[in-house]
């Protein structure tokens, strides 16, 4: 185990480095680990500090951006004094030309007009010579600015080194291990790392480590060089923020042209189409650059969220802080992100502005008190009790392969006496994930006719399973059928499969070798694989390593109702796993379901115990309640086991 520092920051881009420098200045020991510094979106930016030119509407986001812009001059001076490296900070203002008449919709009246100035056609062409002939006017934003993003990244790295931050390159984080809402360690390519507190600042790669709704938006850029004869008096003195393009002049005669915005996943490289688009827009805005030499072109991945706002502050883990999803404004927001998060970590002081950028705004939109535990009106609580209770979310959600569910009970669809009984039992259980045997539905086996159409798949998530498959090859084929079945029922993006490879007809025990072989193939084909296995810790770890999104150890043989017969092995699997552990098969009663959750399992899958009960609907409800109670008990923490009695009433102050 490698002991890291007080603070361990994952991500070596401008956000991670800015936070590291700020925390180091507050006397923390800090380590920054980075997989590949050259991949950071910092290097693909233009360095505009443009909250007004971006036309961000009046909102907490505009407040955050304006606050950061106001910090920039002093922040840059501090960095440059520490390192002696110029960052290219240039409060040159930004000019935003438009092509349509003022009465058109393209003319955007700024939300903050105190410093913005409208320039008509004659004025803007006098103010900046060489603009395209169809520019009819534009806005002048004198307080917007720019910085050389690459120089800033270099200066931040040097500042971190000068201050004593431990920078570790070429370190890939394989998993963030969690236990009881705490990060316990990082598993990395150089071994295990530990710290008192962690910061996730990995940009577009964040959701590879946590289920955060951050995805990459590719941006292509290029750079042209002003000819030698024009260097004495630069033809372009200020940033031009045009329609879908911008030109950013540097003092040395380079002009950056950017940027495309492409939702193409992780597809890399510059493309002819991208370059053609950029050059066409740039030459329309500033025609004379058509004769200047192209010096460089590059691309990068901006980290964006569904609402295009960053994710800042607390996380589900008490010792993990989030700093990701900055999209187009990472360079601009570096100073304020560093300041607010350093305050949060060092002083436990959360700026009210941070509440608008919480991670859980995407997951629990209907709750106004996202972190409060619902109390019965008959109960009152002291401040201490309230503090403890607020640590438990109202809905203890589970996330599997990036999809979040409110219930930790999964149910099956087989063995019910009727379709109606199955429908009512699943509804009573509160289950949101329902597994369906693909082969039996496809072949209309007895009890499965019309089953797929009997449930409302707009409210339930289908988990196709490969029940009945005896070989890996067979399971892969059936999994593909299951994916198509989910699409036909309206779940176009459903790539889940419960993998079962069971050649043993008597005891129905899964084949470990066949399961591993099938899992490897299905992961390669883009499936989210949930493998059903014996309670084998080594196999569970191997399946996790090949990319399975859960492991599903059996408690006892399928349908046996024997309960949890292998608790020791299940506990080892839970302790070692970094993916959800779902106890599947053998549970017969709610007490056994609660016990499995008390062991630390993340979820349960129960079919026979509900379907074959004398009252399946009541049993479904009981199992749902047991899963919830067991989970809550696990998180509450049981009392220590003792070999002797301990009175629950105090021995002092008794009446004689």
């Amino acid at each position: 185990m490698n002991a890291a520092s007080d603070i361990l920051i994952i991500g070596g881009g401008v956000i991670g480095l800015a936070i590291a420098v700020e925390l180091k200045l507050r006397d923390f020991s800090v380590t920054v680990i980075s997989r590949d510094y050259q991949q950071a979106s910092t290097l693909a930016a233009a360095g505009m500090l443009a909250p007004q030119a971006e036309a961000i509407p009046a909102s907490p986001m505009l407040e955050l951006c304006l606050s950061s812009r106001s910090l920039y001059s002093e922040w840059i001076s501090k960095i440059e004094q520490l390192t002696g490296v110029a960052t290219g900070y240039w409060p040159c203002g930004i000019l935003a030309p438009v092509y349509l008449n003022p009465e058109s919709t393209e003319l955007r009246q700024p939300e903050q007009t105190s410093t913005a100035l409208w320039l008509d056609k004659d004025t803007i062409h006098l103010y900046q010579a060489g603009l395209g002939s169809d520019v009819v006017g534009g806005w002048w934003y004198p307080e917007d600015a720019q910085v050389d993003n690459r120089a800033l990244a270099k200066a931040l790295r040097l500042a971190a080194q000068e201050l004593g931050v431990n920078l570790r390159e070429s370190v890939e984080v394989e998993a963030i291990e969690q236990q009881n809402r705490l990060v316990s360690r990082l598993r990395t390519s150089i071994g295990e790392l530990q710290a008192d507190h962690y910061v996730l600042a990995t940009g577009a790669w964040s959701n590879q480590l946590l289920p955060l709704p951050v995805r990459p938006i590719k941006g292509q850029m290029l750079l042209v060089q002003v000819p030698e004869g024009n260097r004495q008096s630069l033809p372009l003195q200020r940033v031009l923020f045009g329609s879908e393009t911008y030109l950013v002049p540097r003092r040395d005669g380079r002009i950056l042209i950017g940027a495309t915005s492409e939702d193409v996943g992780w597809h890399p490289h510059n493309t002819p189409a991208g370059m053609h688009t950029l050059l066409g827009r740039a030459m329309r805005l500033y025609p004379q650059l058509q004769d200047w030499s192209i010096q460089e072109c590059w691309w990068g991945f901006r980290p964006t969220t569904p609402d295009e706002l960053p994710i800042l502050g607390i996380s589900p883990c008490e010792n993990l802080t989030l700093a990701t999803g900055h999209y187009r404004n990472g360079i601009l927001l570096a100073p304020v992100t560093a300041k607010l998060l350093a305050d949060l970590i060092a002083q436990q002081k959360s700026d009210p502005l941070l509440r608008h950028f919480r991670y859980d705004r995407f997951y629990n939109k209907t709750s106004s008190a996202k972190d409060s535990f619902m109390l019965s009106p008959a109960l009152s609580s002291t401040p201490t009790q309230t503090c403890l209770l607020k640590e438990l979310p109202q809905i203890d959600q589970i996330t599997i392969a990036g999809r979040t569910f409110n219930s930790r009970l999964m149910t099956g669809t087989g063995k019910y006496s009727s379709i109606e009984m199955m429908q009512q039992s699943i509804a009573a259980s509160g289950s949101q994930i329902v597994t369906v045997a693909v082969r039996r539905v496809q072949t209309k086996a007895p009890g499965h006719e019309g089953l797929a159409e009997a449930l409302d798949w707009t409210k339930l998530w289908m988990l196709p399973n490969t029940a009945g498959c005896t070989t890996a090859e067979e399971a892969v084929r059936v999994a593909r059928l299951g994916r198509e079945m989910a699409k036909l029922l309206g779940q176009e993006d459903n790539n889940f499969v419960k993998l079962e490879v069971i050649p043993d007809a008597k005891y129905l025990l899964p084949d470990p070798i066949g399961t591993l072989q099938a899992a490897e193939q299905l992961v390669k084909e883009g499936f989210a694989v949930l493998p059903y296995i014996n309670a084998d810790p080594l196999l569970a770890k191997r399946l996790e390593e090949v990319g399975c999104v859960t492991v599903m150890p059996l408690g006892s043989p399928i349908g046996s109702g024997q309960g949890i017969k292998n608790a020791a092995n299940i506990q080892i699997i839970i302790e070692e796993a970094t993916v959800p552990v779902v106890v599947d098969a053998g549970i017969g009663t709610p007490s056994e379901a609660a016990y499995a959750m008390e062991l630390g399992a993340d979820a349960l899958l129960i079919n026979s115990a509900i379907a074959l009960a004398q009252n399946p609907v009541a049993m479904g409800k009981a199992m749902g309640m047991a899963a919830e109670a067991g989970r809550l008990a696990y998180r509450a923490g049981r009392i220590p086991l003792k070999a002797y009695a301990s009175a629950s009433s105090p021995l002092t102050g008794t009446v004689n």
Side-chain angles (χ1 to χ4, degrees):
M1 180 80 66
N2 289 310
S5 304
D6 296 334
I7 314 289
L8 199 159
I9 299 174
I10 312 168
V14 68
I15 296 295
L17 291 171
I19 296 169
V21 167
E22 187 67 28
L23 287 168
K24 190 64 182 176
L25 288 170
R26 301 187 189 201
D27 295 325
F28 286 92
S29 61
V30 184
T31 293
V32 176
I33 57 176
S34 176
R35 177 173 58 183
D36 183 355
Y37 170 65
Q38 297 299 320
Q39 287 187 359
S41 58
T42 306
L43 301 181
M48 289 187 298
L49 312 176
Q52 291 182 288
E54 290 267 13
I56 299 172
S59 62
M61 181 61 175
L62 180 62
E63 185 181 347
L64 187 73
C65 291
L66 291 175
S67 175
S68 199
R69 189 186 66 182
S70 70
L71 296 172
Y72 234 93
S73 180
E74 183 179 346
W75 184 66
I76 285 294
S77 296
K78 179 172 62 179
I79 299 298
E80 291 182 343
Q81 288 170 11
L82 276 170
T83 63
V85 173
T87 61
Y89 175 65
W90 186 8
C92 57
I94 291 181
L95 193 61
V98 297
Y99 296 124
L100 301 179
N101 291 323
E103 61 270 17
S104 73
T105 56
E106 185 183 359
L107 182 59
R108 299 167 297 176
Q109 181 71 20
E111 297 284 349
Q112 301 288 330
T113 58
S114 58
T115 60
L117 179 65
W118 168 252
L119 307 179
D120 62 19
K121 183 173 183 178
D122 291 339
T123 305
I124 197 171
H125 282 273
L126 284 172
Y127 191 61
Q128 177 59 63
L131 294 174
S133 59
D134 51 352
V135 170
V136 299
W139 289 101
W140 166 237
Y141 302 101
E143 295 185 9
D144 281 353
Q146 65 156 298
V147 67
D148 186 326
N149 52 296
R150 296 186 183 186
L152 174 62
K154 179 181 177 182
L156 278 171
R157 288 180 62 76
L158 186 56
Q161 291 171 338
E162 291 288 331
L163 290 169
V165 173
N166 182 15
L167 299 178
R168 306 188 72 169
E169 292 291 337
S170 303
V171 178
E172 182 165 2
V173 178
E174 298 164 353
I176 299 175
E177 289 198 25
Q178 303 175 36
Q179 192 167 20
N180 294 333
R181 297 185 70 225
L182 290 172
V183 175
S184 56
R185 62 180 63 83
L186 302 183
R187 289 189 179 271
T188 78
S189 55
I190 60 169
E192 296 179 350
L193 297 177
Q194 278 188 319
D196 295 330
H197 198 94
Y198 303 81
V199 178
L200 183 70
T202 49
W205 290 265
S206 296
N207 72 353
Q208 296 180 5
L209 294 173
L210 290 176
L212 297 171
V214 180
R215 73 183 195 281
I217 296 293
K218 178 181 168 184
Q220 300 187 54
M221 297 184 67
L222 59 89
L223 182 146
V224 297
Q225 182 73 54
V226 175
E228 287 289 340
N230 295 347
R231 300 281 181 84
Q232 293 300 319
S233 177
L234 293 176
L236 192 59
Q237 293 281 347
R238 52 196 55 84
V239 176
L240 297 183
F241 196 100
S243 175
E244 299 182 302
T245 194
Y246 49 78
L247 308 182
V248 183
R250 304 292 199 220
R251 288 192 177 99
D252 60 3
R254 296 174 299 147
I255 295 179
L256 281 71
I257 301 173
T260 63
S261 185
E262 306 168 55
D263 194 354
V264 293
W266 296 103
H267 185 71
H269 307 307
N270 291 107
T271 62
M275 294 297 98
H276 175 76
T277 298
L278 283 177
L279 287 169
R281 292 171 180 167
M283 289 186 292
R284 182 187 182 194
L285 185 60
Y286 196 70
Q288 61 182 291
L289 63 76
Q290 65 187 329
D291 298 319
W292 298 348
S293 62
I294 297 176
Q295 298 292 306
E296 184 182 356
C297 56
W298 64 95
W299 78 95
F301 296 111
R302 306 183 190 98
T304 190
T305 63
D307 57 12
E308 298 185 358
L309 303 180
I311 297 173
L312 303 174
I314 64 167
S315 78
C317 295
E318 296 170 10
N319 62 339
L320 173 65
T321 299
L322 303 175
T324 186
H326 290 76
Y327 192 30
R328 299 166 58 93
N329 295 295
I331 301 293
L332 168 62
L333 292 175
V336 76
T337 298
K339 179 180 182 300
L340 295 183
L341 296 192
D343 287 345
L344 180 64
I345 294 168
Q347 305 169 22
Q348 296 296 299
K349 175 185 173 184
S350 182
D351 190 288
L353 198 54
L354 285 177
R355 67 186 177 88
H356 300 285
F357 305 101
R358 290 169 58 110
Y359 77 96
D360 54 5
R361 68 185 187 267
F362 301 107
Y363 303 119
N364 194 8
K365 296 180 181 178
T366 60
S367 173
S368 60
K370 295 176 182 175
D371 280 349
S372 63
F373 181 76
M374 292 187 68
L375 288 172
S376 165
L379 297 177
S380 60
S381 57
T382 66
T384 301
Q385 290 170 329
T386 302
C387 180
L388 291 172
L389 286 170
K390 73 180 182 180
E391 295 179 4
L392 297 174
Q394 180 176 336
I395 299 174
D396 186 14
Q397 298 169 314
I398 182 172
T399 300
I400 300 173
R403 184 170 290 272
T404 301
F405 304 93
N406 292 333
S407 173
R408 290 177 177 265
L409 174 63
M410 307 177 189
T411 51
T413 52
K415 303 183 180 179
Y416 286 94
S417 60
S418 68
I419 290 289
E420 292 75 15
M421 188 64 73
M422 180 264 294
Q423 293 169 322
Q424 294 174 33
S425 300
I426 291 174
S429 74
S431 172
Q432 292 178 302
I433 301 177
V434 178
T435 186
V436 175
V438 177
R439 293 191 75 173
R440 290 167 187 150
V441 171
Q442 292 282 328
T443 58
K444 294 183 172 57
H448 292 74
E449 308 94 327
L451 186 151
E453 295 79 13
L455 295 171
D456 185 352
W457 298 112
T458 64
K459 297 178 181 177
L460 300 173
W461 188 248
M462 179 182 287
L463 177 57
N465 71 55
T466 62
C469 294
T470 60
T471 66
E473 295 78 11
E474 196 176 13
V476 170
R477 288 197 304 272
V478 170
R480 293 168 183 156
L481 288 173
R483 182 158 60 182
E484 295 307 310
M485 182 173 72
K487 288 180 180 179
L488 289 173
L489 294 172
Q491 296 185 1
E492 291 286 339
D493 58 342
N494 190 338
N495 63 342
F496 280 42
V497 62
K498 183 194 173 193
L499 175 60
E500 298 182 21
V501 181
I502 303 177
D504 167 30
K506 183 176 181 180
Y507 296 105
L508 299 179
L509 297 174
D511 173 11
I513 298 173
T515 301
L516 181 59
Q517 291 172 340
E520 288 176 325
Q521 179 60 36
L522 290 171
V523 168
K524 290 177 183 176
E525 294 184 18
F527 282 88
V529 181
L530 293 78
Y532 170 62
I533 60 172
N534 283 298
D536 180 344
L538 295 179
L539 176 60
K541 181 53 65 177
R542 181 69 182 122
L543 286 163
E544 182 182 333
E545 289 169 352
V546 303
C548 292
V549 298
T550 70
V551 288
M552 304 181 73
L554 57 83
S556 54
I558 293 175
S560 69
Q562 295 177 25
I564 307 298
K565 295 298 185 183
N566 42 24
N569 275 17
I570 289 177
Q571 281 188 302
I572 294 172
I573 292 172
I574 291 168
E575 182 179 338
E576 294 297 317
T578 58
V579 296
V581 176
V582 183
V583 173
D584 178 10
I587 289 173
T589 65
S591 61
E592 292 162 357
Y595 176 54
M597 296 301 289
E598 288 166 14
L599 291 174
D602 295 281
L604 308 170
L605 198 157
I606 301 175
N607 186 182
S608 298
I610 298 174
L612 301 180
Q614 293 182 28
N615 186 332
V617 178
M619 187 60 78
K621 184 173 180 62
M623 289 296 187
M625 295 170 69
E628 185 176 345
R631 175 67 177 175
L632 188 57
Y634 169 72
R635 294 181 62 187
R638 64 161 293 144
I639 66 170
L641 293 172
K642 297 180 180 179
Y644 49 86
S646 177
S648 58
S649 298
L651 298 178
T652 59
T654 57
V655 177
N656 294 319

